[in-house]
Amino acid sequence: MEGSSGPKPLSVYLYIPNIIGYIRILMNCVAFALCFSNKKIFAILYFVSFVSDGLDGWLARKFNQVSTFGAVLDMVTDRVSTACLLTVLSQIYRPGLIFLSLLALDIGSHWMQMYSTFLSGKASHKDVKDSTNWLFKAYYGHRPFMAFCCVGSEVVYIIFFLIAERQPESVINAFVSVIQRRLFLLLLFSLALFGWAIKQIINIIQMKTAADACVFYDMKRNQ
């Protein structure tokens, strides 16, 4: 509207955290283009892109540039990059269904959580104050804990990608390979695996909670 004092659409697209989001997308594109020709470059680009999610969130709050577009951009970038890596792993390892199932759980739980958030009128899918599950509330209520689980999950996938020596590879053989290698790698993998396990539990809780919210919405609407 003419005379409006609010931010213009172009200015929102050019918010500093959103620009970082575009850079993250570009880094992921380059990473997956090189994933089979240069594993180390892929791992570096993918990891830096993922952890930059926390940086743009911090900058958004620091410069008061929080936007719905930025939040959606972050979530879509995270989900798509993880989905691409899990798809690659499903082609490297057997049974590939393990990684495809993890992909389905990740996408399904977040999509249902976003939709149930929309139905309940909440501003963010991370608003779980009314949840009765302590682990679910701890995950979304404490950023360092959530960051540990998310980063740990991605580190597990990166390690699996880096240690694959032949295709198709057995998941069990790869796991044993990690155990037999250097102590540092074993400790890193064990710590990351703990965060990965919590994140998968959260995904299951999230899907069930979101499904309940959709059912309660239908019940309330039909009364």
Side-chain angles (χ1 to χ4, degrees):
M1 290 179 60
E2 187 176 352
S4 173
S5 60
K8 305 300 182 183
L10 181 59
S11 67
V12 176
Y13 286 123
L14 295 179
Y15 277 175
I16 294 175
N18 294 343
I19 292 176
I20 293 178
Y22 309 145
I23 296 174
R24 291 182 63 210
I25 294 174
L26 180 60
M27 291 175 67
N28 278 316
C29 289
V30 175
F32 281 102
L34 300 174
C35 66
F36 290 112
S37 60
N38 196 322
K39 286 187 173 184
K40 291 183 178 179
I41 295 297
F42 164 81
I44 293 172
L45 290 175
Y46 184 90
F47 183 77
V48 172
S49 171
F50 191 83
V51 298
S52 295
D53 183 28
L55 175 62
D56 61 18
W58 179 78
L59 290 173
R61 293 185 292 273
K62 179 177 177 61
F63 293 105
N64 194 26
Q65 293 184 340
V66 177
S67 64
T68 302
F69 168 73
V72 173
L73 179 66
D74 278 351
M75 170 172 278
V76 171
T77 302
D78 290 341
R79 302 281 68 77
V80 170
S81 59
T82 301
C84 289
L85 181 51
L86 286 171
T87 301
V88 170
L89 290 175
S90 73
Q91 299 303 304
I92 296 176
Y93 287 97
R94 292 294 178 267
L97 183 60
I98 293 177
F99 297 100
L100 293 179
S101 298
L102 292 171
L103 167 58
L105 177 61
D106 187 56
I107 296 294
S109 66
H110 282 85
W111 191 90
M112 291 188 67
Q113 177 71 0
M114 286 293 293
Y115 195 79
S116 65
T117 299
F118 169 76
L119 291 178
S120 62
K122 295 179 180 178
S124 172
H125 71 284
K126 297 179 181 179
D127 182 0
V128 295
K129 297 183 181 66
D130 55 350
S131 175
T132 58
N133 188 284
W134 66 271
L135 183 58
F136 196 43
K137 292 174 68 174
Y139 179 81
Y140 279 118
H142 299 83
R143 291 182 183 277
F145 178 54
M146 181 172 65
F148 165 74
C149 295
C150 292
V151 173
S153 182
E154 298 300 325
V155 168
V156 167
Y157 299 145
I158 291 174
I159 290 176
F160 269 120
F161 179 76
L162 290 175
I163 65 175
E165 297 179 350
R166 61 180 182 275
Q167 300 180 22
E169 178 74 275
S170 167
V171 174
I172 301 299
N173 290 342
F175 187 82
V176 173
S177 176
V178 171
I179 296 176
Q180 293 176 340
R181 297 195 183 196
R182 296 179 181 178
L183 179 61
F184 172 76
L185 181 60
L186 176 59
L187 293 176
L188 176 63
F189 185 76
S190 300
L191 186 62
L193 190 64
F194 177 69
W196 170 88
I198 294 177
K199 191 174 188 302
Q200 305 318 307
I201 295 172
I202 291 297
N203 279 339
I204 295 172
I205 296 173
Q206 182 169 256
M207 181 175 286
K208 177 60 169 61
T209 302
D212 290 343
C214 292
V215 170
F216 292 150
Y217 175 84
D218 285 336
M219 295 174 61
K220 183 177 179 180
R221 184 181 59 179
N222 294 331
Q223 285 180 353

